[in-house]
Amino acid sequence: MPISESQARNIVGVLTEALPYIQKFHGTTLVIKYGGNAMVDDVLKQTFAQNIVLLKLVGLNPIIVHGGGPQIGEMLERLNIPTRFVHGMRVTDAETMDVVEMVLGGLVNQDIVSVINNNGGRAVGITGKDGNLIRARKLTLSQAAPELDVPEIIDIGHVGDVTEVNVDVLNVLVKEDFIPVIAPIGVGENGESYNINADLVAGRVAETIGAEKLILLTNTPGILDAEGVTIASLTSDEVRALVKAGTIRDGMLPKTNCALSALNNGVASAQIIDGTVPHALLLELFTDAGVGTKITNG
Ligand SMILES: Nc1ncnc2c1ncn2[C@@H]1O[C@H](COP(=O)(O)OP(=O)(O)OP(=O)(O)O)[C@@H](O)[C@H]1O
Ligand SMILES: [Mg+2]
């Protein structure tokens, strides 16, 4: 059936609106954090993969860093391994770390790779151990307690902080037109594994590889103000004020922290968008309105 005149006008309008953005981003690298909560639905996974394949075909270089908190929790439950959280972080003993590595590096990573490849892309899955991409050290948490003179140090096991990023392996993959998909596992001095917050890994990879943009896909429409309204754009000073006021908290904190650090280290902009909206990536990159919250230096 031939398309109607108005449908034709719509299609032409959409493509024409996208043109200046395709020109602007052609040849640039984007680091995209794919949150565990945005990948629970099969339809969303398919549209995410289609968006990534399209970005690559129009000349952008997407690099994906994924989370997987809900998927790790599910597997620990299936295996009857009890789990405990301190300050929102999972206490990760050696047995739990094995599960984290299997779920993130095995199941979740390879699931994303195969959905992208089924949609015609060329994705390659790696963890931060491959090519020494992410060097890490144990993250220590301290907690002030009124009855103690010095803060109590809390051991949360194999939870890591990034010490060094070596992007050689990413440069090789991108140059050959592969799409890297990174599981947020780092390697310590003695070859031990660390579970690292994926936002943190995405931010550090973006600044080290010199990405044009850092995009964090999550499960809210963006950064919300105290009234729950999505804020379209924020400067780094405004972000700091919202953190101080307690409006930005919990899972949003590592996102804004890594965004501010990336902006300070050469990344032009960071965007927090709703990964539960189909095609959020295309709407953000290729439309005049954009979606979510854009953070810029200032
Ligand atoms: N000001 C704010 N605006 C929006 N969300 C906020 C704000 N402050 C805190 N949050 C919380 O941050 C959450 C997003 O972070 P969260 O760590 O839960 O998801 P994710 O990082 O996308 O997934 P994963 O950690 O599995 O990779 C939101 O669902 C919301 O509860
Ligand atoms: Mg998170």
Side-chain angles (χ1 to χ4, degrees):
M1 198 175 69
I3 57 169
S4 71
E5 209 174 300
S6 78
Q7 280 173 319
R9 260 200 309 275
N10 268 344
I11 295 170
V12 171
V14 166
L15 290 173
T16 310
E17 188 174 332
L19 179 62
Y21 298 102
I22 295 174
Q23 285 168 324
K24 176 180 166 197
F25 291 123
H26 190 91
T28 63
T29 300
L30 303 174
V31 174
I32 299 162
K33 150 70 192 318
Y34 189 29
N37 291 311
M39 60 174 82
V40 280
D41 174 323
D42 277 343
V43 174
L44 286 175
K45 270 197 252 181
Q46 288 293 338
T47 57
F48 172 80
Q50 288 163 355
N51 286 185
I52 295 293
V53 172
L54 195 146
L55 294 183
K56 188 72 190 177
L57 283 175
V58 296
L60 288 76
N61 295 314
I63 294 175
I64 298 158
V65 179
H66 63 83
Q71 292 81 356
I72 293 167
E74 229 170 75
M75 184 60 79
L76 288 169
E77 209 168 286
R78 263 164 69 181
L79 298 172
N80 279 320
I81 299 173
T83 191
R84 201 160 58 85
F85 285 87
V86 175
H87 294 307
M89 276 179 276
R90 190 190 299 280
V91 178
T92 310
D93 60 11
E95 192 188 18
T96 305
M97 187 63 221
D98 284 348
V99 176
V100 168
E101 202 158 354
M102 286 190 280
V103 172
L104 286 182
L107 284 177
V108 176
N109 186 276
Q110 292 302 302
D111 187 27
I112 298 168
V113 166
S114 68
V115 184
I116 293 174
N117 292 352
N118 269 335
N119 281 284
R122 302 207 309 153
V124 173
I126 58 175
T127 78
K129 285 181 158 180
D130 291 285
N132 287 322
L133 173 62
I134 310 286
R135 292 240 177 232
R137 66 165 168 247
K138 191 181 173 74
L139 183 78
T140 48
L141 279 188
S142 62
Q143 177 168 263
E147 69 277 15
L148 299 173
D149 293 337
V150 284
E152 179 192 10
I153 301 291
I154 310 164
D155 188 349
I156 48 170
H158 289 251
V159 178
D161 199 1
V162 176
T163 54
E164 203 186 318
V165 178
N166 176 350
V167 293
D168 290 351
V169 63
L170 296 181
N171 284 328
V172 170
L173 292 173
V174 170
K175 189 163 162 275
E176 296 299 324
D177 280 333
F178 288 105
I179 301 166
V181 178
I182 305 167
I185 294 163
V187 60
E189 264 188 346
N190 302 307
E192 72 278 25
S193 306
Y194 286 104
N195 177 15
I196 309 173
N197 180 290
D199 300 332
L200 183 67
V201 171
R204 291 293 298 272
V205 166
E207 59 191 59
T208 312
I209 205 157
E212 174 73 19
K213 213 170 160 79
L214 169 66
I215 301 179
L216 302 153
L217 273 104
T218 183
N219 61 351
T220 69
I223 296 180
L224 309 179
D225 66 15
E227 273 75 51
V229 179
T230 309
I231 307 168
S233 74
L234 287 170
T235 64
S236 40
D237 284 341
E238 289 167 337
V239 167
R240 278 186 280 270
L242 287 172
V243 171
K244 211 167 160 208
T247 310
I248 291 175
R249 56 185 179 275
D250 308 325
M252 193 51 70
L253 274 176
K255 292 182 209 308
T256 50
N257 283 343
C258 79
L260 296 189
S261 164
L263 293 173
N264 261 337
N265 289 291
V267 177
S269 72
Q271 190 95 18
I272 294 168
I273 67 174
D274 194 347
T276 68
V277 172
H279 301 293
L281 271 176
L282 297 190
L283 293 172
E284 156 46 25
L285 286 164
F286 297 147
T287 65
D288 293 335
V291 288
T293 305
K294 184 192 188 92
I295 308 175
T296 50
N297 239 340

